[in-house]
Structures are given as structure tokens and as C-alpha cells.
Amino acid sequence: MTTTLITGANKGLGFESARRLVAAGHTVYIGARDAERGRRAAEQIGARSVQLDVTDDASVQAAAKTIGADGGLDVLVNNAGIEVRAEDNSIPTAGDTTADEMRTVFDTNVFGVVRVTHAFLPLLQRSAAPVVVNVSSGLASLTGLSSPDSPAHFYQAVAYPSSKTAVNMITVQYAKAFPDMRINAVEPGFTATDLNGRTGTQTVEEGAEIIVRMAQLGPDGPTGGYFDVNGPLPW
Ligand code: NAP
């Protein structure tokens, strides 16, 4: 039996990934910062739920203790993420970016990934086939955002893409440190969720595809890579 934790899984891509992995036979924990939202989401799809705020050490430690006591963890999906937008859903420009905005975004998207991974490493190390999926973004790609021909080139904000570039580097470094684990970063594609005011062009079913696929990697699968649904992406 494979046990999987997905952070930020009470809605959006995390919830759809949870639904699909339950259907594939995983025991799935929906990590949610709001325990009640997590409980309701889990109930809909036959998952379990655990209170988990990726910005809060005590919450993450308690979740690791609970899941450890229940029997351990095989797959960790670091999915919780935020993008700071204005009231009218516009994206802050480079000129508007403040250190406070950076800190807020990095606290969830970057430090959250490290906080959760660090707390769950002892459980993953006890698994026969440990897997980590870090939900990155196409906007993480230095190649994409610096090349005028790329569809991502238009994107002006500083905090969100740099946080996801950091997630990619974190993925590479953990993958080198833990060669017995499959640790990859994924780009779901531009998906209609609350994160972008539902302006995304894909459905959550389409967006979750690469998350679900990489969560089910066997020990012979790739590690230390950055993938979308069509294959490896340029860093
Ligand atoms: P979403 O619908 O807004 O879901 C984000 C989830 O993260 C929610 O469950 C939210 O919980 C949770 N979350 C936020 N801060 C948290 C915290 N401190 N602790 C625990 N959970 C927290 O957005 P989404 O589009 O599904 O995003 C999922 C991931 O995909 C993110 O990492 C995002 O960057 C990435 N991504 C999205 C797209 C896209 O086009 N949608 C593209 C590329 C990458 P609450 O309900 O409590 O707020």
C-alpha cells in the first residue's frame, strides 16, 4: 500500500491530484492549513486529512508525527503555493515588487517546501520506494523567462517565478543528496484555479496529469528533473 501526502490539497490541483491518486489505490492525506476545509475535501474523495500549514513548524511537525504513527509515508507532493496578485487580479511588476512581497511568497513556496521535506525525510527514508514531487511552474524556467520567443516571456512579476526557480534548485540538490528517492519538479501548465482568478486555460484534470504521473514513479524512474506533461523542460 502506498501512502501519499499532498500539501495544499483541499482545492485546485492538489485536490484533483488527491482524487486521482485515491482512485489509483494510494492512501492519500490531504494536507490543509484549515482543518475543516481539509476534512470536507477528504470526505468527498475517500482520502484522509491532516492539518498542515507549510509556513508553521509546529503544524508540520505535528502532521509528520500523526502520519508516522499511522504507518509512514511513501510519496510527498509539495503542492501548496501562492502567487501575490492585486485586487483586480493583475500581476505586480518588477518595479512594484517589495521585500515583504518576496518574503510572503518565499515563506510558502520555498521555505514551505524545505520545512515539509525536512520534517518528512525520516519517514520517506523508511519507505521501500520513496517519491517527492515538487510542484514548480513553467515560470520557474530561466531559459523561458529570458527568451523573447517563449510564451512565458511576457510575465513581469519577480516574486512568484523566482520562488519556483528556487524550488527547481531545491529539487536538484535533494535529488543528489538522496539518490534512492525519485525527486522531481513538475510544471502543471496554466490551469484555471483560484491561484490565477480562474484565468488559466487548462482544466484541473489536465493540470494534475503530470503531478499524478510523477507521484507514481517506480524506483527506475527519473530523478532530479523538471517535467511537464510532454517531457523534460529547459531549466
Ligand atoms: P489553488 O487552487 O489556489 O490551491 C493552492 C492550495 O495551496 C490551496 O489548498 C491553499 O489552501 C494551499 N495553501 C496556500 N498556502 C498554504 C499554506 N501556508 N499551508 C498549506 N496550504 C497552503 O492553486 P493551484 O493552482 O491549485 O496551485 C497548486 C500549485 O500549483 C501551486 O504550487 C502553484 O504555484 C502551482 N502551479 C499552478 C499553476 C496554475 O496555472 N494554476 C501553474 C503552475 C504551477 P487554502 O485553501 O487554505 O488557501
Side-chain angles (χ1 to χ4, degrees):
M1 190 56 139
T2 302
T3 302
T4 298
L5 166 66
I6 308 177
T7 64
N10 54 284
K11 66 178 184 182
L13 289 164
F15 179 69
E16 175 59 15
S17 302
R19 190 183 72 75
R20 297 261 288 276
L21 289 169
V22 168
H26 288 208
T27 298
V28 176
Y29 284 87
I30 286 193
R33 59 180 158 179
D34 182 287
E36 182 52 25
R37 280 201 291 272
R39 194 191 59 73
R40 280 201 302 266
E43 203 175 76
Q44 284 179 52
I45 58 169
R48 300 180 182 185
S49 70
V50 65
Q51 195 280 334
L52 195 160
D53 181 335
V54 303
T55 66
D56 184 279
D57 274 333
S59 155
V60 172
Q61 290 299 336
K65 208 170 157 193
T66 300
I67 293 175
D70 284 358
L73 190 71
D74 304 292
V75 180
L76 169 64
V77 181
N78 284 309
N79 166 78
I82 59 168
E83 182 189 21
V84 170
R85 291 197 172 211
E87 294 254 308
D88 64 359
N89 202 41
S90 63
I91 297 163
T93 62
D96 289 339
T97 300
T98 62
D100 279 347
E101 180 196 325
M102 290 289 284
R103 192 176 297 113
T104 301
V105 172
F106 271 60
D107 199 12
T108 300
N109 295 8
V110 181
F111 308 147
V113 171
V114 174
R115 185 176 286 110
V116 172
T117 306
H118 184 256
F120 283 91
L121 269 174
L123 299 186
L124 290 167
Q125 284 173 306
R126 271 183 248 142
S127 165
V131 171
V132 178
V133 181
N134 290 329
V135 181
S136 177
S137 166
L139 298 171
S141 171
L142 293 168
T143 306
L145 267 71
S146 61
S147 106
D149 300 334
S150 155
H153 187 260
F154 80 96
Y155 191 90
Q156 298 296 315
V158 174
Y160 181 78
S162 59
S163 75
K164 295 297 189 176
T165 308
V167 168
N168 281 3
M169 180 61 85
I170 286 166
T171 303
V172 167
Q173 297 299 78
Y174 277 123
K176 286 192 295 191
F178 302 102
D180 294 339
M181 299 190 193
R182 307 296 91 191
I183 306 179
N184 293 288
V186 300
E187 137 72 330
F190 189 38
T191 306
T193 65
D194 289 348
L195 184 95
N196 49 44
R198 309 214 157 247
T199 55
T201 51
Q202 294 188 140
T203 63
V204 283
E205 288 81 0
E206 292 167 319
E209 175 61 31
I210 188 64
I211 302 175
V212 170
R213 193 187 299 170
M214 298 311 268
Q216 295 181 92
L217 280 184
D220 296 337
T223 193
Y226 171 41
F227 298 92
D228 75 2
V229 76
N230 297 313
L233 292 173
W235 301 103

